[in-house]
């Protein structure tokens, strides 16, 4: 996702079609690459073996001393052979890169050997934004119910972001090294070329590692973005063998190619992207004028960023176009999806039923001895009571069954917000104790307590790390107590250590004071939550969304956007009202989807089939196999909230083959692209 953006870009497995060596030579090249990755030890061994075959015995002792002083991990093999092996060619190319690039040579050699062969952005990674995958992505289709502005964007966050940035940087650095080799090997005036003339063909073949695949990838992505009528022209212009011949002859017109690409992209992208396209052309032309491979590579990097942006624009346009249908079909689609997984024994809902039954047996909110014959509204009270207990529990995480998998991000945020409210109440209670200690009979006004809450949230920040800010919290409570009690002193260091110790004990979920306030908060929230559930339980998905999702866009998350409520300001009652609204939406939609499946009750549509769900699923909820095998968008979805919470793992392709109901089947997805601009 921002957007869930594309997930981690996977390299395309390819083979070097231009290799002129034998299979043994290719294995030698791979051996050198592995040796370079493992470090100096293996490389020194390889050099020693080659050296023993070529250096006379009498000269070895003197050269051994010199070799011991050399720190390079690669050494040139002797060149007086008639035929070079693939290993020799790769070693020579690495040494040539080091010579051409100066101080950056070792790093470029490392990237040349280790970077992926395919670009960071490929047609495979962008296929996650295809319409078929969007429609069949259960995580996205669930999240869209909670966010009016849900959209995709590149997932630049998450636990693997550093690795992704490193891999991306290594690829473009390796491409710079490869272009430098081309310039050297294809330059007719190069003295090095004349010296290496007899082996020039081997060096050229060995240097073609990424540029051919880059052009192939560029062609594949463009064909997914342009109209069918332009695809033949793309095939003609991006003829990879012809382009590589032009490189070898020194007649490849990269400036003209970039200008042609600019015209093509501007004809198919949104007008707001034209400036990006113009800057890409400027970079390439400037690189050619200055003979700078770095600038040329920056231009190519911007080109692929433009292609990714165009794909994101199309995907987000499609989401806006189908938004109403996707929300309307949420319950039907998700029930199909989950029932398929249950039928294939890929989801076990026994724990979910046990969880519900356990809370049902301990629930005392109604007059029934048992709830088997109770109406659905009473069962939903069991659900909300169970959710409140879980969110206010003192455990380290959310102990919820698999049926809440698509809501874990939102529930984790709710839990954090509720704990913040409790911590604020604890601090306000301690403030009252400090004031009474300073001056008996003086109490803090509600407005003064509310002001303290705001300052406390400023102290803990968005990370809500209360335990790390104990000293600052204690200082703020002392300062507020002195001000409220009318003391002329600005600070009192005598009570700060004791206050810090007390905060250390109480500002954690396992403390008795926390549990006391959690019980009070649950008793305060439960009646309003029950009333809200009763008012919204009969609404369909679309009406539920319109009633409970605020119009203001949520803050940006990871992957693609998942709503997150900012509770840093406002009165406590307003915060509790917001919590009630958000929890109502989660609970009502959850009940609509899972009530008939996992929490079947008397009178429900699933009650008759509860004992034989497999047969009922097959008969009543058959799904279409027309969709191709797809997987969900990786949020590194972020759906990811990145946004947000980290993206859920992609569903199994077989599980995603279920298309939505007639509303989506009848949609002509070919029209869901930007219209071409004239000219």
């Amino acid at each position: 996702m921002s957007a869930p953006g594309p997930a981690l870009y996977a390299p395309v497995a390819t083979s070097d079609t231009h290799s002129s060596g034998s299979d043994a030579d290719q294995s030698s090249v791979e051996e050198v690459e592995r040796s370079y990755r493992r470090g100096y030890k293996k490389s020194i061994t390889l050099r020693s073996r080659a050296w023993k075959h070529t250096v006379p015995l009498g000269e070895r002792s003197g050269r051994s001393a010199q070799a011991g002083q050399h720190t390079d991990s690669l050494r040139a093999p002797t060149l007086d052979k008639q035929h070079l092996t693939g290993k020799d060619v790769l070693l020579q190319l690495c040494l040539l890169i080091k010579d051409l690039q100066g101080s950056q040579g070792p790093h470029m050699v490392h990237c040349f050997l280790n970077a992926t062969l395919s670009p960071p952005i490929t047609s495979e990674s962008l296929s996650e934004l295809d319409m078929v995958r969007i429609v069949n992505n259960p995580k996205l289709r669930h999240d869209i119910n909670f966010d009016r502005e849900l959209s995709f964007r590149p997932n630049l966050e998450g636990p693997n972001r550093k690795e992704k940035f490193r891999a991306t940087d290594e690829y473009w650095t390796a491409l710079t090294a490869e272009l430098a080799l081309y310039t050297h090997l294809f330059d007719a005036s190069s003295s090095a070329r004349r010296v290496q003339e007899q082996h020039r063909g081997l060096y050229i073949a060995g240097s073609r590692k990424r540029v051919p695949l880059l052009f192939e990838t560029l062609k594949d992505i463009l064909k997914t973005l342009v109209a069918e009528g332009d695809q033949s022209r793309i095939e003609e212009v991006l003829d990879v063998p012809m382009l590589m011949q032009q490189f070898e002859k020194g007649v490849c017109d990269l400036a003209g190619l970039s200008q042609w690409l600019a015209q093509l992209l501007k004809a198919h992208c949104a007008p707001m992207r034209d400036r990006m396209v113009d800057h890409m052309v400027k970079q390439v032309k400037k690189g050619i004028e200055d003979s700078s491979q770095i600038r040329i590579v920056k231009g190519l990097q911007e080109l692929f960023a433009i292609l990714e942006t165009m794909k994101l624009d199309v995907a987000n346009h499609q989401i806006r176009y189908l938004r109403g249908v996707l929300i309307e079909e949420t319950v039907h689609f998700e029930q199909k999806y989950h029932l398929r997984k249950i039928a294939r024994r890929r989801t076990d809902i026994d724990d979910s039923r046990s969880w519900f039954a356990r809370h049902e047996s301990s629930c005392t909110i109604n007059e029934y001895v048992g709830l088997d014959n109770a109406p659905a509204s009473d069962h939903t009270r069991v659900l909300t009571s169970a959710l409140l207990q879980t969110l206010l529990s003192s455990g380290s995480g959310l102990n919820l069954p698999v049926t809440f998998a698509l809501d874990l991000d939102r529930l984790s945020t709710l839990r954090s917000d509720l704990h913040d409210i409790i911590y604020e109440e604890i601090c306000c209670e301690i403030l009252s104790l400090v004031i009474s200690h300073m001056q008996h009979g003086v109490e803090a006004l509600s407005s003064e307590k509310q002001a303290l809450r705001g300052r406390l949230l400023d102290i803990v920040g968005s990370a809500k790390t209360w335990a790390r800010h104990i000293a600052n919290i204690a200082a703020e409570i002392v300062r507020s107590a002195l001000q409220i009690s009318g003391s002329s002193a600005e600070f009192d260091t005598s009570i700060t250590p004791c206050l810090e110790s007390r905060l250390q004990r109480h500002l954690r979920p396992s403390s008795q004071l926390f549990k006391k306030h959690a019980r009070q908060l649950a008793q305060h929230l439960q009646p309003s939550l029950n009333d809200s559930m009763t008012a919204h339980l009969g609404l369909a998905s679309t009406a539920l969304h319109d009633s409970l999702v605020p119009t203001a866009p949520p803050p940006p998350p990871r992957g693609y956007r998942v709503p997150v409520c900012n509770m840093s300001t406002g009165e406590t009652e307003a915060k509790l009202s917001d919590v009630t609204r958000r929890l109502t939406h989660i609970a009502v939609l959850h009940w609509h989807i899972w009530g008939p499946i996992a929490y079947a009750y008397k009178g429900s549509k699933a009650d008759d089939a509860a004992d034989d769900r497999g047969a009922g699923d097959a008969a009543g909820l058959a799904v279409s196999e027309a969709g191709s095998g797809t997987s969900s968008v990786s949020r590194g979805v972020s759906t990811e909230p990145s946004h947000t919470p980290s993206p859920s793992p992609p569903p199994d392709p077989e599980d995603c083959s279920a298309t939505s109901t007639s509303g989506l089947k009848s949609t002509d997805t070919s029209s869901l692209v930007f219209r071409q601009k004239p000219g």
Side-chain angles (χ1 to χ4, degrees), residues 22-96:
S22 63
D23 294 340
D25 291 344
Q26 181 63 29
S27 64
S28 298
V29 173
E30 294 172 355
E31 182 182 3
V32 172
E33 293 178 348
R34 289 195 300 270
S35 71
Y36 195 91
R37 294 188 184 99
R38 288 195 295 265
Y40 296 134
K41 183 176 180 180
K42 181 66 175 178
S43 299
I44 293 173
T45 303
L46 291 173
R47 292 201 308 272
S48 176
R49 291 175 182 173
W51 172 68
K52 288 179 180 179
H53 287 292
T54 58
V55 179
L57 182 62
E59 301 179 15
R60 291 182 186 176
S61 60
R63 297 193 182 186
S64 296
Q66 298 175 5
Q69 299 172 0
H70 204 292
T71 58
D72 286 343
S73 61
L74 293 174
R75 179 74 63 80
T78 57
L79 296 179
D80 55 354
K81 304 177 183 179
Q82 284 296 90
H83 303 288
L84 294 180
T85 64
K87 177 179 64 177
D88 295 331
V89 170
L90 188 58
L91 287 170
Q92 284 297 310
L93 290 174
C94 291
L95 289 169
L96 185 56

Side-chain angles (χ1 to χ4, degrees), residues 438-491:
M438 291 180 175
Q439 187 170 346
H440 185 69
V442 177
E443 295 184 0
L445 300 176
S446 60
S447 59
E448 293 169 333
K449 291 183 178 181
Q450 188 60 40
L452 175 64
R453 292 189 181 97
R455 291 193 294 271
L456 291 176
L457 290 179
D458 290 337
I459 290 173
V460 299
S462 58
K464 310 294 181 64
T465 51
W466 290 79
R468 295 182 183 179
H469 298 279
I470 293 295
N472 293 332
I473 293 173
E476 183 60 36
I477 291 176
V478 171
R479 192 192 67 80
S480 299
L482 290 170
Q483 183 180 8
I484 294 171
S485 61
S487 174
S488 59
E490 295 184 358
F491 197 70

Side-chain angles (χ1 to χ4, degrees), residues 97-114:
I97 292 172
K98 292 172 69 177
D99 291 340
L100 293 173
Q101 301 300 328
S103 61
Q104 293 297 317
H107 176 62
M108 285 197 165
V109 168
H110 170 79
C111 296
F112 184 75
L113 291 175
N114 296 308

Side-chain angles (χ1 to χ4, degrees), residues 196-215:
Q196 301 168 354
E197 189 66 37
Q198 58 176 327
H199 304 303
R200 179 170 171 268
L202 291 174
Y203 293 148
I204 292 175
S207 64
R208 289 175 174 171
K209 293 171 68 70
R210 294 173 180 83
V211 171
L213 185 55
L214 179 137
F215 284 127

Side-chain angles (χ1 to χ4, degrees), residues 22 32 73 88 123 158 232 251 321 327 441 456 465 491 560 599 662:
S22 63
V32 172
S73 61
D88 295 331
S123 56
S232 59
V251 295
Y321 184 89
I327 294 175
L456 291 176
T465 51
F491 197 70
Y560 63 80
Y599 320 122
S662 58

Side-chain angles (χ1 to χ4, degrees), residues 149-219:
E149 303 295 331
L150 183 140
S151 61
F152 288 103
R153 65 181 176 189
N155 183 16
L156 302 178
E157 301 180 25
N160 297 324
R161 64 182 183 277
K162 291 184 179 179
E163 177 64 21
K164 291 164 65 176
F165 288 145
R166 183 197 60 77
T168 299
D169 179 71
E170 284 189 354
Y171 174 82
W172 296 114
T173 302
L175 189 65
T176 303
E178 188 168 330
L179 291 180
L181 287 176
Y182 286 6
T183 302
H184 183 78
L185 295 173
F186 300 155
D187 185 1
S189 63
S190 171
S191 59
R193 172 185 166 177
R194 290 194 293 271
V195 172
Q196 301 168 354
E197 189 66 37
Q198 58 176 327
H199 304 303
R200 179 170 171 268
L202 291 174
Y203 293 148
I204 292 175
S207 64
R208 289 175 174 171
K209 293 171 68 70
R210 294 173 180 83
V211 171
L213 185 55
L214 179 137
F215 284 127
E216 288 285 0
T217 304
L218 174 61
K219 178 171 63 176

